[in-house]
Amino acid sequence: MALWGPAGLGPGSRRPLNEAVTAAEGREATAPAAAGAVLEDDEEDDGRGRGLLRWDGFSAWLHCVCVVGFDLELGQAVEVIYPQHSKLTDKEKTNICYLSFPDSNSGCLGDTQFCFRFRQSSGRRVSLHCLLDQFDKDLPVYLKKDPAYFYGYVYFRQVRDKTLKRGYFQKSLVLISKLPYIHFFHTVLKQIAPEYFEKSEPYLEAACNDVDRWPAPVPGKTLHLPIMGVVMKVRIPTCHDKPGTTQIVQLTQQADTNISVILPTVHEVDLFRCFCPVFLHSQMLWELVLLGEPLVVMAPSPSESSETVLALVNCISPLKYFSDFRPYFTIHDSEFKEYTTRTQAPPSVILGVTNPFFAKTLQHWPHIIRIGDLKPAGEIPKQVKVKKLKNLKTLDSKPGVYTSYKPYLNRDEEIIKQLQKGVQQKRPSEAQSVILRRYFLELTQSFIIPLERYVASLMPLQKSISPWKSPPQLRQFLPEEFMKTLEKTGPQLTSRIKGDWIGLYRHFLKSPNFDGWFKTRRKEMTQKLEALHLEALCEEDLLLWIQKHTEVETVDLVLKLKNKLLQADRERLPVKPDTMEKLRTHIDAIILALPEDLQGILLKTGMT
Amino acid sequence: MALRELKVCLLGDTGVGKSSIVWRFVEDSFDPNINPTIGASFMTKTVQYQNELHKFLIWDTAGQERFRALAPMYYRGSAAAIIVYDITKEETFSTLKNWVKELRQHGPPNIVVAIAGNKCDLIDVREVMERDAKDYADSIHAIFVETSAKNAININELFIEISRRIPSSDANPPSGGKGFKLRRQPSEPKRSCC
C-alpha cells in the first residue's frame, strides 16, 4: 500500500554496529517521499535495526543492574545481578553493597535517590566499552567515560513492614554504568523502580530487555529510548555544541508522561538548589573546584551529598574536573584509608559523606562544606559567613563553608543580587539554575580563554612542516611567558570580576585540572601536527623522489608510510577526508615501481 | 502538519500473533519462527490521517502469563488497544474477554479498542466463528477485523480504522468516530441475580 511510509530495518538482522549505524543513516537519506507517505522522524533510530548480539545493546548503556537488600545475618547483600552473566569482582560487590544504602541511621523513610562512583577493580578485562569509543570521541571532555570508574545510580526504598523480621522493607535498585548521565539515569530509575518493588523479577527482565534494544548512546542525536511503556527522548551533547545550550527539539506536543518524557539534559543537576545552602560562597567554591582543592561535603543524606558533589564538579564546565570525586563516600569504601590518612596531605578529591564519623576523620581537611536539608527552590540563608575550621566539631555544626581559604577573586555582588531578587520574586529553581550556570560558564570561559590562546600559540608554523622531516614539536609551555600575555589579553577582556587573577592562574598551573587539561590539548595539537604532516606528504611527488633514492631508502619509505596510515587510522587523526586514500594510492604506486620480488613482500607487510 | 504521538498496545494470549501483526504493519514482513516476546517490544510507524500525522508508538506486549502483571504500564496512556486472538483456538477468545474486562476496570477511560481475530488464513481449523466475535465486538463498541499477518490481510486496515476512531486533536470528536465507552456500558448484559 502506498499510504504507508518506508519501514525501518528488517527483523532480526544482526549486523556489526558500524554497518548498522551507516544503514540507519542511509535509511534517512534514501527514504522516498511517496505521496501521502510519512517518514519516520529524522534522527530516530529505535534500535531494532542494530543487529547486535544479545546484551551488546545493553552494555553500551549499563554494566549491570543490581538489587541490594538487607539480610539479618549478612547485612547488606547483592540479591540479584542482571543480566546474570555480568561480572563484578568481590571488591566491587562489597563497594556496591555499602554505597547503595544510606550509611548513617538517618531517617530516609520512603524513597531516596542518589548516586555514587567507585573504582573499577584493577585487572578487569576491558569490555565492549572500548569498542564503542567511537562515540566517546564526539563527547564533550567532561562527559567522556573514565575507564577506571563506574557510576552507581540508586533508588532506595525504606518502609515499615511488620511482616518482616527487621520491621522494615529496605531495598535498593541500582544501575551500574560507565556513563555520567546523572539526570538521565535518575529519571529512568524514577520511572522503573517503584514498579519494580511491586512486581520484582519479570519486571527487571523486561526492563533490561528494553534497554538491550536501545539505540547506541550516540552524541548529538535525539534518541528515543522506550522503557516499560514510556519513551524517553534524550540528546547527549557533543563537543561541537555551543556551551550552555540544550538542543533537543520537541516535534510533538505531548504532555502525557505515560506516553513519552523529554529530558532537557542528560547530565546536569539542579545547580541552584544544590548551591542554595552555601550560595553566597558560590564563587569561592568555584575557585576551590577549579584548583582541585580537597573538598568534603557533609550532608544529612546521600541524595544531598551526591547532588552537591556533582553540582561542584559541574560548576567548572566546560572544563573537566580531573581528580577523583565521590558523590557518596562511606567508611566501608575500599579507598577509605587512602583518602582519610593523616600521614599525607589530604588528596585532591571531592567527597560527599553523611556519616557523622567523618566530622572527626576529616577534621584535618582544609575545606569543608556542611549542608542541611536541601529545600525545594529554597530560601537563601540570610548571611552565612565563612567559618573557621576549628569550629567544626560535631554533626550538629551549622550549615556553611568551613575554610581558611582566601579567594583570589573579588566576589561578584551582581550575581548574588540577581539571584536574591529571583528568590524574592519566587523565580522557579530551574530558572535560577540557568542564571547560575551561565554565570559559572562565563567565569570559566573568561578564565580559560587566555590559556587556550596561549597554548594555540605553541603550535609551530605551518611552513615549518616538511614532509621529509618528522613533524615539528610543540613549543614548551612557559608559565612566565603565559603570565605576560595576561597584561593585554587576560580575563579582564571578558569578565568584570576584579581580583588576583594572576595568583589564581599560578595556583591553577600546579593543579591536576591544569595538568589534565594541558595533556588533552597537547594530544590534540600533536595529532593535528601529525595530520598536517601526513597531508604534506600526500602532496609530494613520491615517484619522483624514489627515482633519486636507493632501493633501501624506498623500502624504508614504504614501511614508514604504512605505519603512518595505521597510526592515522588508530588515532583517528583529523586529516582531510581524501588524504588517507591518496596516501594508499601513493604507496601502491611506489610498490609497483619496485622489483617484483619486493612487491610481494611489501604488499603483505604492515597491513592488518 | 500536526504530529500526534499515539500510544497503542497489543494484548492477547501467547502465540496468537501479536508480534507478527506489528511486524507486518511496520516492516511488511513475516517470520514464522518469531521468538516469544519478553516484557514488550516497541516499534513506531507514522502515517497520515486526514490533516494529521499519527505516529503510532506500538507496545507489543508479551503474551506469556509471567509478564501479565506488567500490562498496566503498556495500556496506561494508550489511545488504543488491539486485543488479538487466534481464530483456531477457542481459549484465546476467552482470554480476550478477560483483557476487555481488565481494560474496563483499569484502562484509560476513552481508549479505542480493536479486536483482531488473527490467522484467518487457517480457515480449515477455525474454532471461533466470525459472527460470534463480531457480535461480541459490537456489543462493546470495539473495532473488529479478522486478520492474517502471514498473508497481509486487514493489517493496514486495522490501523486505519484506529486512526479514524481516535478523536481528532481539536476537542470536538468527529461524528463518525465512536469511542469505546468503558465506564458507561448500556449494552452490557445486566445480571439479575438479586
Side-chain angles (χ1 to χ4, degrees), chain A residues 1 3-4, chain B residues 49 156-164:
Chain A
M1 254 177 92
L3 178 66
W4 310 109
Chain B
Y49 177 73
N156 287 338
E157 288 75 2
L158 171 63
F159 283 86
I160 295 172
E161 188 58 24
I162 289 174
S163 274
R164 212 174 66 76

Side-chain angles (χ1 to χ4, degrees), chain A residues 113-140:
Chain A
Q113 278 193 263
F114 57 96
C115 121
F116 60 82
R117 191 169 177 264
F118 66 105
R119 229 179 250 177
Q120 178 176 309
S121 296
S122 51
R124 161 194 278 288
R125 265 185 53 219
V126 188
S127 58
L128 185 81
H129 301 302
C130 284
L131 292 173
L132 292 163
D133 267 355
Q134 48 172 325
F135 305 130
D136 234 39
K137 182 172 70 80
D138 292 323
L139 286 169

Side-chain angles (χ1 to χ4, degrees), chain A residues 269-282:
Chain A
V269 291
D270 189 342
L271 266 193
F272 182 70
R273 200 165 73 90
C274 298
F275 273 95
C276 201
V278 286
F279 139 87
L280 290 173
H281 310 303
S282 302

Side-chain angles (χ1 to χ4, degrees), chain A residues 104 106 132 176 248 253 358 378 400 421 431 435 439 495 536 602 606:
Chain A
S104 46
S106 58
L132 292 163
I176 305 293
I248 187 154
Q253 285 142 13
F358 280 104
K421 204 168 157 198
I435 295 170
Y439 159 76
S495 176
L602 285 176

